[in-house]
Structures are given as C-alpha cells and as structure tokens.
Amino acid sequence: EKLEISRFDPRMTLIEYLRDIAKLTGTKRSCLQGGCGACLVVVQRYDWATRQWVSKSVNSCLKPLTTCDGMIITTIEGVGTERKGCHAIQERIAGNHGMQCGFCTPGM
C-alpha cells in the first residue's frame, strides 16, 4: 500500500513511524543502536544507473524517516502473518522449532 506522509517530526526514525504511527508492531524496538537486528526491515530503492530495484536489509532504529522517500519498505507484516498466512520460510522455521536470533526473524 502506498503511503504519503506530509507532516512528521524530521527527527523521527523509521521504527518510530512503523510502530507508533502506522501501528505495525511486528518490527521490534530493542537496543535502538543497530546491534540486535530486531528492527530489521527490507528497503527497496530504484537504482537509475542500472534501472533495477535494489533491496537490502536496514536497521529501522537507525534509519531517518526522511531518507525513505520513494522507497518500498517491507516489514514482517508484509512477509506474512498468522491471520493472513505465513510465508513458506516462516512456516519452516516455526515447524522445525527454529530459534529467533533477531536477524532474519523479528516479529515471529
């Protein structure tokens, strides 16, 4: 879903927006220093030089919201939920009693 945000505190981080404004609480707020990985989200931006979308994981606790203009942001809610159905990777982790380290499975 495309969102346009017009009025916000320029000091706001992505994690603050996701949890406090958008109410997407699957992305966890933990160390707030980028060390634990609980706040990881996937960020996609369009690279005009290669004419392709580039994806990378970022610590949303360190990413200023102002730097997200034009980006596609996917949280754990966008990957899958119990209500809407889990992604195949989420099902395998849960089905095989996988441990959550916080890097690739925040919010599970």
Side-chain angles (χ1 to χ4, degrees):
E1 132 186 24
K2 184 178 180 178
L3 295 176
E4 188 171 318
I5 307 165
S6 57
R7 302 176 99 193
F8 62 92
D9 184 339
R11 298 169 295 177
M12 184 177 283
T13 61
L14 181 55
I15 187 77
E16 291 170 326
Y17 175 79
L18 292 172
R19 291 187 60 84
D20 302 338
I21 308 296
K23 303 300 182 197
L24 297 171
T25 57
T27 303
K28 302 304 179 194
R29 185 181 339 207
S30 186
C31 74
L32 300 177
Q33 297 176 350
C36 71
C39 67
L40 281 180
V41 296
V42 175
V43 174
Q44 293 177 300
R45 65 171 180 78
Y46 190 76
D47 184 341
W48 290 98
T50 62
R51 297 178 190 232
Q52 295 181 346
W53 284 93
V54 178
S55 300
K56 68 178 189 174
S57 60
V58 298
N59 291 307
S60 61
C61 70
L62 299 178
K63 181 113 178 116
L65 186 60
T66 57
T67 65
C68 298
D69 186 36
M71 295 184 174
I72 297 171
I73 299 164
T74 305
T75 65
I76 191 68
E77 288 91 350
V79 176
T81 64
E82 287 183 77
R83 290 185 193 130
K84 295 178 183 178
C86 291
H87 187 277
I89 293 173
Q90 292 170 308
E91 289 177 1
R92 287 187 183 120
I93 291 171
N96 290 295
H97 308 289
M99 296 298 292
Q100 179 182 350
C101 72
F103 185 79
C104 66
T105 57
M108 288 188 63

